[in-house]
Amino acid sequence: LLFALAFVVVILIKSFGSGSWHSKAANHEEHNLNKIPAASLTASKDNQVASDTTITKHEAVQDSNFVEFVFSNLDGESGKEGTVIVQLMPEWAPLGVGRIKELTAANFYDECRVFRVIHRFMAQLGINGDPKIQKLWKKEIKDDPVKTSNARGTVTFAMAGPNTRTTQIFFNKVDNKYLDGQGFAPFGKVVSGLEEVIDHINEEYVEKPNQGKIQNRGNEYLLKEFPRLSFIKTARFVSSADVK
């Protein structure tokens, strides 16, 4: 009997400590930024598929510091599109800009759904719709020091703790200065399309999509459960001459 009790205690202890580190967002019903912890911007590691193959550098990294994102399903309306130009700022976050250039050159963000959109806070995306592609980019990059504020229109990596940036990014929809002291280093800023596009990313699902299920099932899961999510149709480098 004593042996059986000891066995049960061991099992309970192991179960209690087995959950992955991923803080849930605070109650957003009041949409009060001061009540939304930085931990809500974590990039979930739940159910990530391990892989021995990791992309560390893409051969076609471009010289341009401007990326054109074409968004679709704006306001949840099928076919409603708009263009956003993001200027990459190497002086702000050289490591972050390097990773974004690799991802853009690889067309990683094409068809990526904006799976977390919180009113008067941010819009988060960056889990590829194909789980096989997503697992190639599991290599984390080191943090950049925060050199500029998370002002409205800046773009920043989500993370699950220090030195855990991979592919997930978010657009600051308002000034989120309180994130600065928690290690969120912006790597770029929207120079075109902020009001016309970013402010019209569909907010109806808030943060209902499960990141673990996206990692494992990709867009198959999102299209079935959350068909009106806004998404990036394409992300491509453009020259400064093309920026209006």
Side-chain angles (χ1 to χ4, degrees), residues 189-217:
K189 61 182 179 181
V190 174
V191 295
S192 177
L194 182 59
E195 295 180 356
E196 301 85 353
V197 181
I198 298 301
D199 288 347
H200 290 274
I201 292 175
N202 190 17
E203 298 181 345
E204 71 173 292
Y205 302 117
V206 194
E207 50 186 344
K208 291 181 181 179
N210 181 280
Q211 291 192 39
K213 290 183 179 180
I214 306 173
Q215 296 273 0
N216 289 327
R217 297 171 55 192

Side-chain angles (χ1 to χ4, degrees), residues 227-240:
R228 290 183 299 278
L229 283 175
S230 299
F231 65 94
I232 293 177
K233 187 175 181 180
T234 58
R236 298 289 185 272
F237 292 104
V238 293
S239 69
S240 58

Side-chain angles (χ1 to χ4, degrees), residues 64-92:
S64 174
N65 281 328
F66 293 92
V67 179
E68 178 186 79
F69 294 89
V70 178
F71 283 83
S72 191
N73 275 20
L74 296 176
D75 294 319
E77 299 179 16
S78 178
K80 184 176 181 179
E81 297 183 356
T83 299
V84 171
I85 304 293
V86 172
Q87 181 178 2
L88 306 179
M89 307 295 288
E91 62 270 31
W92 289 357

Side-chain angles (χ1 to χ4, degrees), residues 163-174:
N163 302 312
T164 57
R165 298 181 297 174
T166 54
T167 63
Q168 293 190 41
I169 61 176
F170 62 92
F171 289 79
N172 283 296
K173 300 182 71 175
V174 296

Side-chain angles (χ1 to χ4, degrees), residues 146 150 177-184:
V146 179
N150 282 269
K177 184 177 180 180
Y178 76 99
L179 296 177
D180 303 348
Q182 302 185 44
F184 293 94

